[in-house]
Structure formats: C-alpha cells, structure tokens
Amino acid sequence: MAKQYIEKGLLVPDHVITRVMMSELENRRGQHWLLDGFPRTLVQAEALDKICELDLVITLNIPFETLKDRLSRRWIHPPSGRVYNLDFNPPHVHGFDDITGEPLVQQEDDKPEAVAARLRQYKDVAKPVIELYKSRGVLHQFSGTETNKIWPYVYTLFSNKITPIQSKEAY
C-alpha cells in the first residue's frame, strides 16, 4: 500500500504509516529503540503518545538545496536493493552496479522535482511536530551541511542523555 505513494514521490498517508509503526512498536514494548523519520505529523505524534513518552527528539536543520541535491543523486540496483549516491558512494562505473554490472535506476521519488515537492510537503507537516517537542523540552536541533561536522554534537548529546545499554551477553 505504501509503495504506490512512494513511487509517485508522495509521503505515505498518516493512517498507513501510523498503523505500521504502532504495530511494530507495540511488539517492542519494554525494549529501547531509535526512530528515524517518525513521527512526521501531529496525528503520528499523538498516536505515539498513546504508547510511550519520548526521551529525546533530534531535528537536523539542513538547507533545502543541500537536501535536494543529495537526495536527487541517489541511484539503486533494484534486484539487490544496493543504494549508491553519486557524491558519497558512487559506483565504480557510472550507472552500473559494482557487483553485477547491471544498470542502476533512479526511482521516481528521487528525481529532483519529486524530491523538491516532498521536502516542501515535509516542512509544512513537520513544523507543528517540531514545535510540540520543543514545548515539551525534549527537542534538540542541529544545523549544518556535513555529517562529519554535525555527528560529534549528536553523539555527545546521546552520550550525555542516554544511559548505555549492556548487551545480555555482558551479564
């Protein structure tokens, strides 16, 4: 069901993604987890509130053009699911999978026009969610354009806010 939206470069509707996420999170009650990209809307945040209380929320403020350029340079090898980025993880031979030599494709939702539309839509729906978590005092914002410059700050926050979890093998 989600695939039909993704292929058109649209965000998956709340009712679809919320149902999937709530089911997965209910199965993980009592476990620690990290969510990436959820919740994106107030409806999703309200559903999440019913099953847990978030300890920490992070948002990355990255310029629109930087995001659009990065996402538009993503190509995939459909049979294997391997993902390439022409800037960060380019194939050895442009346009072809490193292992099989088969052609790479750019999904419709990774084309520049679709990426731009998706980013604009995301910004509109995410703003109230960001404000919600800001008002609760759990939001931490980081700005930049380079992962290696933002990550040390995120890592320090994690290190100071989250108690390390020992694996069961360590007992």
Side-chain angles (χ1 to χ4, degrees):
M1 186 181 228
K3 187 177 180 181
Q4 63 185 320
Y5 295 96
I6 293 168
E7 286 177 346
K8 295 176 185 172
L10 301 172
L11 294 176
V12 179
D14 276 347
H15 70 279
V16 176
I17 196 68
T18 302
R19 188 174 345 139
V20 170
M21 292 300 296
M22 292 303 103
S23 173
E24 287 298 315
L25 294 174
E26 285 286 349
N27 291 336
R28 288 167 173 72
R29 276 194 183 269
Q31 298 176 6
H32 299 276
W33 29 264
L34 174 74
L35 301 176
D36 180 5
F38 184 87
R40 291 183 182 203
T41 68
L42 278 178
V43 169
Q44 294 171 358
E46 290 163 358
L48 190 57
D49 280 346
K50 292 177 184 171
I51 66 166
C52 71
E53 185 176 322
L54 299 182
D55 301 314
L56 180 65
V57 176
I58 294 173
T59 184
L60 302 177
N61 299 317
I62 301 168
F64 180 86
E65 285 302 316
T66 301
L67 287 172
K68 185 177 76 118
D69 291 346
R70 283 187 189 170
L71 293 171
S72 299
R73 305 209 18 99
R74 187 166 52 185
W75 290 74
I76 65 161
H77 177 249
S80 69
R82 278 185 289 281
V83 178
Y84 296 89
N85 183 291
L86 300 182
D87 294 325
F88 301 106
N89 180 35
H92 296 302
V93 177
H94 183 75
F96 296 94
D97 181 58
D98 288 347
I99 296 173
T100 65
E102 295 171 334
L104 300 175
V105 299
Q106 187 175 44
Q107 294 178 315
E108 286 302 313
D109 67 330
D110 286 337
K111 292 186 177 172
E113 308 77 34
V115 167
R118 207 166 73 235
L119 288 172
R120 280 191 292 276
Q121 185 180 9
Y122 172 77
K123 183 179 177 183
D124 292 341
V125 297
K127 186 175 181 177
V129 177
I130 291 167
E131 292 301 319
L132 172 70
Y133 291 127
K134 187 176 186 177
S135 74
R136 292 183 181 175
V138 295
L139 180 72
H140 298 267
Q141 300 184 65
F142 299 93
S143 299
T145 59
E146 298 176 43
T147 303
N148 62 344
K149 291 185 179 173
I150 297 174
W151 173 245
Y153 297 104
V154 175
Y155 180 81
T156 299
L157 175 67
F158 280 163
S159 299
N160 291 327
K161 290 277 188 179
I162 301 173
T163 306
I165 301 169
Q166 289 190 334
S167 67
K168 291 181 181 173
E169 295 82 33
Y171 293 115

